Amino acid sequence: MENSVLGKHGVSIVSIVGQGGIRKTTLAKMVFKEAEEQFGKHRWWVCVSEKPNRMGLLQKILREIYEGSKRKLDHITSLSDLCTRLQSELSMGKFLLVLDDVWELDWWRGEVEDTLMGCAKKSKILITSRKVEVSQGIGAKMHKLPEMTFEESWSLFLDVAWKEENELASHNLKGIGETILAKCGGLPLVVQTVGSLMRTKGMTKGVWESIEKSEIWEWKMPASSRSSEIYSSMLPGLMLSYDDLPASLKSCFVYCSIYPKDYEIKKGSLVMQWVALGLIDQKKGIDVEVTANQCIDDLINRCLIEETQNKNIKLHDILHDLASYIGGKEFSHASTTEHTRHLSLLHVDNAKTAMYNASGAATKLRTLFSECLPSVCFTNFKWLRVLSLMHCQIDELPNSIEELSLLRYLDLSCSDVRRLPSSIGRLWNLQTLDLYYSRIEELPKEMGNLCNLRYLGLECTLCLNFIAEGLGKLTNLQALDRFLGRKGLARRYEDRPFPAPLPGVFPGLDKPQPQKPQEEIPTPNTHSHRALGHIKGRLEYHA
């Protein structure tokens, strides 16, 4: 790696630095993809939180290394043991490790630096950051992304807005469009989002002038906010796009902030959560799940959420911050107050302690995500509509689950749950029960009382060996995964008139579609192509 700092055994670091929204992550993904020939499967991507915990970050790296294999991350309590394990893994051959969105370096100095820089020769670490000081402090060869030129911005704007320059000129809108573009600051994320907004507008001067002269361009995040100074140049354009959304879409967008940054959200899960919380307007003659999927498409088309290569969705980290700001005190990660209505404990340190605290402090929670369930009683969670215990290591739900009479969505996927208590039959409002890849062994007859159940996820439930007769009463089921085709379980239900699943609504139930050739990651401007060449050269140096 040209002019980069080399570690004890030849590990080198390159950084991509630039403002938020300049597409650092997009460029890093291009590099990651292009580096497949050089590094093969020894390429790992880790999103770094703003104030990472050393243990937590090293565990995330190990999880990425173990992804796709049968190996599991054992419970390691000491930092030195974790460093030893990680260094052993990373010394087996050269690798590329991407650390995305690095804010500060307190976590780096000491054990982490010694571990990562003391690995296999010719290995590379690529970081992205908004701060030059981070690149300098970590000793990286820095590539600083410039803002787009006006010509590049204009080309992207026209492309996203589906407009032709001559068309705008013939309607006397070119000058207005250029003024709007100038307010986007040459940042691809803002240009793309505002361009998507203009795509929805008619070719009339009054409409375009209303966007140009909107007071939102003068909007600033309160000075007390952490993001105020960092995002001051880009938030007005993003807020303008948010403000143009219908009320129901606004709620759907803000709700996405309950997931951690860089989290890939499964579309089917999000659809059912929106439905459970009443965020989707009912339309006569149209299934609510179909409408919810249309909301996802609308948010993607407006560039407020993005679709990943795995067909999941996620928020850009700046849009995540915007959604979190709008959600305010009602949305929270890790801690709770009397104002909290939606709580996520995903990827949180000391999640058990946080869960205990939540059971006492947040008596009006509507949504709860947790990967652990200490011996707490559900009595204080009576207002819950959405409960996700995905990956939770428990054998059986407590009987107090019956206290959640308003619950509409229960996710036990990838959990260790083997049995459901008979009291689950009292969850009369339950619409979704997801047991995908869980260790469930039997379904109790009381499940036949779940008269509002619409989706029952039993895909990859390899331990399931008994299903009580009561399931025949579930007349509202719209989707029933897998078990109808399993030998020994299908016979007693062969006369059951289950409806066909709604196309495009539930995960994994549609007929397979022809796969398109894998496309290149889209790049919004030509300077990304130039930058890719520079970064690739630095990665290949010393290879």
Side-chain angles (χ1 to χ4, degrees):
M1 184 175 296
E2 184 180 4
N3 298 325
S4 59
V5 174
L6 297 179
K8 298 173 184 176
H9 299 285
V11 177
S12 51
I13 310 176
V14 168
S15 66
I16 303 173
V17 177
Q19 291 187 62
I22 203 77
R23 294 306 197 197
K24 301 180 297 296
T25 299
T26 298
L27 177 56
K29 286 180 178 178
M30 294 168 64
V31 174
F32 190 78
K33 180 179 176 63
E34 292 282 340
E36 182 175 7
E37 183 177 347
Q38 183 179 354
F39 296 99
K41 293 183 178 180
H42 291 172
R43 297 172 301 137
W44 302 294
W45 184 289
V46 174
C47 182
V48 182
S49 59
E50 291 174 30
K51 293 183 179 180
N53 170 282
R54 281 187 178 91
M55 285 280 293
L57 182 59
L58 293 181
Q59 287 171 343
K60 284 176 73 173
I61 296 173
L62 268 176
R63 287 192 191 99
E64 285 299 313
I65 294 173
Y66 291 167
E67 184 74 22
S69 72
K70 295 183 178 180
R71 292 178 297 170
K72 291 187 177 181
L73 179 60
D74 299 326
H75 186 62
I76 303 176
T77 56
S78 82
L79 180 60
S80 61
D81 289 346
L82 193 57
C83 288
T84 300
R85 172 79 68 86
L86 183 58
Q87 192 165 60
S88 174
E89 293 289 343
L90 295 179
S91 297
M92 294 181 180
K94 67 178 183 179
F95 63 86
L96 170 63
L97 174 63
V98 179
L99 299 175
D100 187 36
D101 202 21
V102 179
W103 285 71
E104 47 87 13
L105 292 177
D106 289 344
W107 57 274
W108 170 259
R109 301 180 180 94
E111 298 94 338
V112 176
E113 180 179 7
D114 292 341
T115 299
L116 295 181
M117 297 299 284
C119 295
K121 291 181 180 180
K122 300 182 181 180
S123 296
K124 319 293 178 185
I125 297 175
L126 174 62
I127 71 167
T128 69
S129 180
R130 302 170 199 184
K131 299 182 177 182
V132 172
E133 314 89 78
V134 167
S135 177
Q136 294 171 338
I138 208 169
K141 175 64 179 178
M142 180 170 61
H143 180 87
K144 191 170 183 180
L145 277 183
E147 296 174 357
M148 289 192 297
T149 65
F150 185 83
E151 290 73 22
E152 289 171 334
S153 297
W154 184 242
S155 176
L156 176 60
F157 177 82
L158 293 176
D159 184 52
V160 175
W162 296 353
K163 301 291 189 289
E164 297 289 341
E165 188 169 355
N166 293 338
E167 182 185 14
L168 293 181
S170 66
H171 288 82
N172 296 318
L173 298 177
K174 183 180 176 183
I176 300 174
E178 290 175 340
T179 303
I180 292 173
L181 185 64
K183 297 182 178 184
C184 296
L187 298 172
L189 176 64
V190 183
V191 173
Q192 204 167 14
T193 307
V194 173
S196 300
L197 168 65
M198 301 313 297
R199 184 197 309 158
T200 68
K201 304 301 177 185
M203 299 287 282
T204 58
K205 188 174 183 179
V207 171
W208 281 58
E209 283 183 337
S210 69
I211 300 297
E212 175 198 8
K213 297 176 181 178
S214 172
E215 295 180 355
I216 295 178
W217 289 111
E218 307 302 322
W219 179 80
K220 296 187 185 313
M221 190 174 280
S224 58
S225 171
R226 176 193 56 79
S227 305
S228 175
E229 183 178 347
I230 299 173
Y231 299 151
S232 58
S233 61
M234 66 187 73
L235 283 179
L238 303 180
M239 179 61 86
L240 191 72
S241 299
Y242 166 80
D243 188 66
D244 190 65
L245 296 175
S248 60
L249 266 185
K250 288 180 178 178
S251 299
C252 291
F253 168 71
V254 171
Y255 178 79
C256 293
S257 68
I258 194 173
Y259 287 93
K261 284 187 177 181
D262 206 46
Y263 191 99
E264 290 202 12
I265 309 169
K266 295 187 182 300
K267 289 183 181 179
S269 298
L270 186 62
V271 162
M272 301 312 294
Q273 289 167 29
W274 283 349
V275 171
L277 291 165
L279 302 183
I280 305 301
D281 292 334
Q282 294 271 6
K283 296 181 179 179
K284 187 175 181 180
I286 301 177
D287 284 288
V288 66
E289 294 87 1
V290 173
T291 303
N293 271 276
Q294 183 59 54
C295 290
I296 288 179
D297 292 341
D298 289 346
L299 290 173
I300 290 174
N301 291 336
R302 289 173 178 263
C303 296
L304 291 173
I305 60 176
E306 57 187 272
E307 188 173 42
T308 69
Q309 286 186 312
N310 296 326
K311 301 301 180 183
N312 298 324
I313 60 171
K314 70 177 184 177
L315 289 177
H316 187 284
D317 56 353
I318 296 174
L319 288 166
H320 190 285
D321 283 339
L322 177 63
S324 297
Y325 169 74
I326 296 170
K329 295 180 179 179
E330 289 195 1
F331 289 80
S332 179
H333 297 81
S335 59
T336 57
T337 70
E338 60 179 332
H339 304 289
T340 307
R341 297 295 178 269
H342 308 278
L343 173 65
S344 172
L345 301 179
L346 299 180
H347 303 174
V348 169
D349 296 327
N350 300 318
K352 286 187 177 181
T353 301
M355 188 69 176
Y356 275 121
N357 294 337
S359 64
T363 57
K364 293 188 179 180
L365 280 180
R366 304 303 196 270
T367 307
L368 175 61
F369 291 177
S370 179
E371 293 176 329
C372 70
L373 187 66
S375 54
V376 298
C377 181
F378 283 115
T379 304
N380 289 341
F381 294 100
K382 291 183 177 180
W383 294 89
L384 274 183
R385 267 69 165 180
V386 171
L387 175 60
S388 174
L389 298 173
M390 185 170 56
H391 295 292
C392 197
Q393 297 179 350
I394 53 172
D395 287 337
E396 186 172 3
L397 288 177
N399 279 317
S400 61
I401 191 74
E402 67 181 352
E403 299 286 348
L404 309 183
S405 60
L406 300 178
L407 193 68
R408 297 174 181 171
Y409 176 96
L410 178 58
D411 186 354
L412 298 171
S413 61
C414 303
S415 71
D416 290 343
V417 168
R418 296 180 181 277
R419 293 170 299 279
L420 298 175
S422 59
S423 58
I424 198 169
R426 296 183 178 274
L427 303 183
W428 298 300
N429 288 299
L430 196 65
Q431 299 171 344
T432 298
L433 176 58
D434 195 351
L435 294 164
Y436 167 80
Y437 232 110
S438 69
R439 296 187 179 183
I440 193 72
E441 296 175 353
E442 59 184 73
L443 300 180
K445 64 180 180 180
E446 288 81 7
M447 281 186 56
N449 297 328
L450 304 180
C451 54
N452 287 299
L453 196 66
R454 294 175 63 82
Y455 172 66
L456 177 58
L458 294 173
E459 190 176 13
C460 297
T461 49
L462 304 181
C463 300
L464 183 62
N465 53 46
F466 179 76
I467 298 174
E469 296 284 354
L471 260 64
K473 302 176 184 177
L474 302 179
T475 57
N476 279 320
L477 273 182
Q478 299 295 307
L480 181 61
D481 274 0
R482 192 180 188 279
F483 90 83
L484 285 177
R486 291 186 58 189
K487 185 177 179 181
L489 294 177
R491 288 195 301 271
R492 70 181 71 179
Y493 294 103
E494 59 188 4
D495 296 326
R496 170 72 170 86
F498 286 113
L502 297 171
V505 172
F506 296 104
L509 297 183
D510 296 339
K511 293 181 179 179
Q513 298 296 321
Q515 295 295 311
K516 296 181 180 179
Q518 191 172 19
E519 299 178 355
E520 295 291 327
I521 298 173
T523 55
N525 46 357
T526 55
H527 84 285
S528 288
H529 291 286
R530 294 195 296 269
L532 175 61
H534 292 306
I535 301 295
K536 281 177 61 182
R538 289 168 185 164
L539 287 176
E540 290 166 359
Y541 193 82
H542 293 315

